[in-house]
Amino acid sequence: MKLNRRTFIGTAAAATAALYAPNVLSQAAGRVVVIGGGTGGATAARYLAKDSKGALDVTLIEPTRTYYTCFFSNLYIGGFRDFASIGHNYGKLVSEYGVNVVHDWATGVDRDAKTVALAGGGSVPYDRLVISPGIDFVDGAVPGWDLSAQNTMPHAYKAGSQTQLLKSQLESMPEGGVFAMVAPPNPFRCPPGPYERICMAAHLLKEKNPTAKIMVIDPKPKFSKQALFQEGWDTHYSGMIEWIGPDFGGDKVEVRPDSMEVVVDGEAMKVDACNVIPKQKAGRIAELAGVTNDAGWAPVVPATFQSKADENIHVLGDASQQGDMPKSGFSANSQAKVAANAIRGALTGSKVFPAKFANTCWSLIDTNDGVKVGASYEATEEKVAKTDGFISQTGEDAALRKQTYEESLGWYAGITTDMFG
Amino acid sequence: MKMLRNLKSRLRIAAATAAILLGLAPASAQIGDADRGAEVYNKQCKSCHMLGEDARNRVGPHLNGLFGRKAASIEGYRYSKDMQRAGADGLVWQAEQLDVYVTKPQALVTGTRMSFRGIKDSEKRADLIAFLRAYSDSPQDIPEAAPTADPTEHDVDPAILAIVGDPEYGEYLSGECTTCHQASGADQGIPSITGWPQEDFVVVMQAYKSKARPHPVMRMIAGRLSDEEIAGLAAYFEGVE
């Protein structure tokens, strides 16, 4: 069953975008379907449509109409951004680039027939498929927690209503109350994310509820930018934050959402707000497409991000297992451009250039106190390998930290434009 | 490491040339072959140094988390005075330091208690270092962890030289810039790079490449661009309004 063109959102607008309009009579050199309108998927769709100048028919399947970026959602929690400012829509991808945006869930991939099934019925045929679904959570990873508990103990690790819920829980904590975070094991989306969130929660509470306490229960013995975060916790939030690593039972945790209790190494504690960030795996559609491994991630060929299970499928971003790149929006954006170049090459015969990848993660510790870690990566035979990098130093002066924060604002504007046009 | 790099860049040129003939994109090189490195470790290191789960100090200190570790910093291991001094002086174990140390330990730390004759074969050392690297932090989890490969030396790589002055290539490379620098020329927090005279663009990028200008992100980005790639970007961005 072919997808009815009338179900495409903004088809009329696409028809007016003569420059990049896809050839609806299927004389296009190829059909590319992108599942997931986050950083990897939106970037891939935009670059495929923009650079092929109408030679490729690009369809983006994404259930939500407004996409809230995970990056900078912590800044919303801290009060540095309003919620609307991290929301983006797909209007320009349709009107300026001629991408067919379908707001629906992809429910399956028939790899032999090369079609994607939609929840709303029908299927979309492809020559190349890009799967960029982000993460899902591993069931039972934190005893006592499953998705049904997310309204009591939010994960807030997919931005949107979950982020709003966590913020409102922090705001309604009683005076001197306790906020607990259960941090995830490696590998997970945004390695500095949980710890930046702790800073932002502390910033919020310091203003409204200065005697409140924050506990981080962590299964990992160390984490990214640890020295920078711990310096910031001492300097800005002295006495508020306690980090409990595996040496003190951080790897033996259970939660009881009904009674708002957290049990660490057998000892139950009553808490007032709780953020559970469970162990992660590739978004479900990657698993349904049969491109994931036992660990739950999708192994890819480093130079092209083609699935090792199917050369007609590329997996981008957090869901992919590629090697050294952290799971981050910056990484997904970088990977999407490499994959788009490879896909265009395969379908239209355009030049394929060597793969280069980069990542930078900025984190905000407190007002005007920004830090960053970044690296460049290249594709080897075996994996995407780190070749160079840098990190902010402890003890940097306030002017440099302010400049780093301002740089992150510029990056946010840059990457969201790069994704959505 | 210099020698290692020279040898490897020669190998890489050969590989890149072969890749061009096959129409493939060239690949960067891992530090060494970890599988072969495991054999070196088993034959020459294992009797004194433990690795992996349950590793503890024996005759020598355990080697988990070695990369990025300050010399003489494992609590409870009795290091030589010279090794302690080296740690206090700021010796941190990375591929380059390990390569010198494994060649001849006394050449790096004169009074070290490691009585080992050294490995003269640079390829064997690279393999061993690649093997040991897997027992330290992964950059996927800790982005600041040590690199796992040597960067492609673009200025000597004929795969890159072969595409000199390709404007399409400049546009492709610009994708890396526009993650941060807006194509519209907006300059909030991050400067605009559009509409610059080509010469100015090249001078600034070369200054980052030579590390004369301080910004770490730009040093890293410029450091892996060849002169021709920088020229291509300059030509592309000059025309972006």
Side-chain angles (χ1 to χ4, degrees):
Chain A
M1 185 161 46
K2 288 262 180 179
L3 185 77
N4 185 330
R5 272 191 62 220
R6 281 177 197 165
T7 63
F8 287 144
I9 303 302
T11 303
T16 63
L19 188 56
Y20 296 125
N23 195 320
V24 291
L25 298 176
S26 290
Q27 287 162 351
R31 296 160 301 187
V32 185
V33 174
V34 180
I35 301 175
T39 318
T43 306
R46 178 167 168 269
Y47 272 77
L48 284 163
K50 172 171 83 73
D51 294 341
S52 70
K53 299 180 169 60
L56 293 176
D57 192 345
V58 182
T59 298
L60 176 64
I61 302 170
E62 161 61 42
T64 66
R65 283 162 200 274
T66 303
Y67 176 80
Y68 292 94
T69 57
C70 249
F71 46 92
F72 272 37
S73 65
N74 284 334
L75 272 63
Y76 158 74
I77 292 171
F80 292 90
R81 300 286 287 212
D82 64 44
F83 194 62
S85 78
I86 61 167
H88 303 269
N89 65 57
Y90 300 90
K92 279 191 183 168
L93 290 184
V94 176
S95 63
E96 289 185 20
Y97 301 96
V99 174
N100 306 310
V101 177
V102 179
H103 289 299
D104 201 347
W105 285 94
T107 53
V109 176
D110 183 334
R111 279 163 43 187
D112 295 326
K114 295 209 273 184
T115 57
V116 177
L118 298 175
S123 65
V124 191
Y126 65 83
D127 297 303
R128 284 286 171 119
L129 175 63
V130 175
I131 304 183
S132 190
I135 53 153
D136 268 317
F137 302 111
V138 174
D139 287 338
V142 176
W145 193 94
D146 60 27
L147 273 183
S148 69
Q150 69 174 359
N151 293 330
T152 318
M153 293 185 170
H155 54 77
Y157 232 59
K158 298 180 186 184
S161 57
Q162 277 278 299
T163 322
Q164 291 177 301
L165 176 62
L166 178 60
K167 181 170 178 164
S168 76
Q169 289 192 348
L170 290 168
E171 285 173 329
S172 48
M173 275 168 58
E175 199 183 318
V178 177
F179 165 51
M181 170 194 278
V182 178
N186 291 323
F188 62 97
R189 161 179 282 182
C190 188
Y195 312 98
E196 180 191 57
R197 175 171 291 174
I198 291 301
C199 296
M200 293 295 95
H203 177 83
L204 182 76
L205 292 169
K206 195 174 152 187
E207 285 177 3
K208 296 176 192 283
N209 188 351
T211 55
K213 296 280 181 238
I214 298 175
M215 251 179 355
V216 192
I217 300 144
D218 206 328
K220 305 182 292 298
K222 63 200 280 195
F223 55 86
S224 178
K225 297 184 193 166
Q226 185 164 358
L228 294 163
F229 282 121
Q230 288 182 331
E231 177 193 52
W233 295 349
D234 283 348
T235 320
H236 300 287
Y237 311 113
S238 179
M240 272 185 107
I241 301 166
E242 190 187 355
W243 180 72
I244 302 165
D247 286 353
F248 296 91
D251 55 343
K252 294 177 205 71
V253 66
E254 177 196 332
V255 295
R256 295 171 185 158
D258 293 340
S259 54
M260 282 304 280
E261 285 179 301
V262 175
V263 188
V264 179
D265 207 3
E267 196 181 324
M269 283 170 296
K270 186 94 175 68
V271 298
D272 301 291
C274 186
N275 175 205
V276 177
I277 310 172
K279 182 178 163 73
Q280 296 160 23
K281 60 179 182 179
R284 177 138 175 81
I285 189 67
E287 197 179 323
L288 292 172
V291 295
T292 52
N293 62 12
D294 290 344
W297 305 104
V300 293
V301 177
T304 60
F305 275 66
Q306 275 163 301
S307 161
K308 287 191 173 166
D310 188 332
E311 62 178 11
N312 295 316
I313 297 179
H314 299 246
V315 184
L316 303 180
D318 297 347
S320 67
Q321 180 176 299
Q322 34 69 30
D324 288 352
M325 296 181 83
K327 299 182 185 298
S328 74
F330 199 125
S331 292
N333 172 267
S334 176
Q335 294 159 6
K337 292 171 202 176
V338 168
N341 185 249
I343 292 168
R344 278 203 304 127
L347 296 181
T348 71
S350 67
K351 280 183 194 158
V352 178
F353 299 112
K356 292 189 188 203
F357 306 95
N359 175 65
T360 302
C361 301
W362 283 270
S363 303
L364 185 59
I365 291 173
D366 198 352
T367 309
N368 287 328
D369 191 358
V371 293
K372 62 186 170 186
V373 59
S376 53
Y377 309 85
E378 293 181 27
T380 68
E381 294 287 319
E382 298 84 24
K383 64 171 183 173
V384 177
K386 174 175 170 178
T387 54
D388 195 6
F390 60 86
I391 181 167
S392 296
Q393 301 299 305
T394 52
E396 285 172 345
D397 65 36
L400 179 55
R401 290 293 177 88
K402 180 165 187 273
Q403 187 186 311
T404 302
Y405 170 59
E406 284 168 355
E407 197 176 270
S408 75
L409 300 177
W411 165 75
Y412 187 89
I415 192 171
T416 50
T417 306
D418 208 40
M419 291 161 65
F420 299 105
Chain B
M1 204 61 182
K2 189 74 199 241
M3 273 181 60
L4 173 71
R5 288 201 171 179
N6 286 345
L7 170 70
K8 284 172 65 185
S9 72
R10 277 199 299 278
L11 290 173
R12 209 172 294 143
I13 287 167
T17 311
I20 289 172
L21 295 175
L22 294 168
L24 300 170
S28 166
Q30 226 95 34
I31 295 168
D33 182 324
D35 292 340
R36 288 202 306 261
E39 290 171 32
V40 180
Y41 169 79
N42 286 334
K43 274 190 204 147
Q44 307 205 47
C45 317
K46 199 179 173 180
S47 55
C48 297
H49 292 284
M50 288 183 79
L51 258 186
E53 250 179 87
D54 304 322
R56 53 195 159 73
N57 299 327
R58 284 204 299 210
V59 177
H62 75 76
L63 300 178
N64 290 341
L66 177 62
F67 286 72
R69 184 204 286 174
K70 199 170 112 181
S73 64
I74 293 186
E75 270 179 56
Y77 181 78
R78 208 165 55 84
Y79 291 96
S80 66
K81 282 237 161 52
D82 269 21
M83 187 60 87
Q84 291 177 38
R85 198 172 299 129
D89 285 347
L91 175 63
V92 172
W93 295 117
Q94 301 289 10
E96 204 165 338
Q97 288 73 21
L98 289 168
D99 190 54
V100 176
Y101 193 64
V102 172
T103 307
K104 186 172 167 63
Q106 294 77 12
L108 190 69
V109 182
T110 311
T112 179
R113 294 200 352 243
M114 178 158 134
S115 55
F116 176 60
R117 65 183 181 284
I119 300 173
K120 302 290 170 262
D121 181 340
S122 66
E123 218 165 308
K124 267 193 187 157
R125 289 197 305 273
D127 294 343
L128 174 65
I129 288 167
F131 171 71
L132 294 174
R133 179 65 191 80
Y135 291 86
S136 290
D137 293 331
S138 158
Q140 179 185 232
D141 303 328
I142 309 271
E144 59 267 35
T148 63
D150 285 338
T152 307
E153 289 169 34
H154 287 185
D155 282 349
V156 296
D157 188 337
I160 303 299
L161 295 180
I163 40 182
V164 168
D166 182 345
E168 207 185 332
Y169 190 34
E171 187 176 356
Y172 167 71
L173 289 169
S174 77
E176 190 162 24
C177 313
T178 55
T179 302
C180 298
H181 297 276
Q182 294 196 57
S184 69
D187 61 354
Q188 177 208 14
I190 288 181
S192 163
I193 55 168
T194 58
W196 284 34
Q198 285 189 44
E199 229 180 80
D200 295 4
F201 193 101
V202 171
V203 167
V204 167
M205 287 297 279
Q206 291 290 350
Y208 281 123
K209 191 176 171 178
S210 67
K211 303 202 190 301
R213 285 177 73 116
H215 196 275
V217 181
M218 286 309 303
R219 280 181 173 186
M220 184 183 83
I221 297 289
R224 61 171 180 170
L225 292 170
S226 71
D227 295 349
E228 289 72 18
E229 287 174 309
I230 289 173
L233 282 166
Y236 171 70
F237 277 113
E238 188 183 47
V240 177
E241 299 199 352

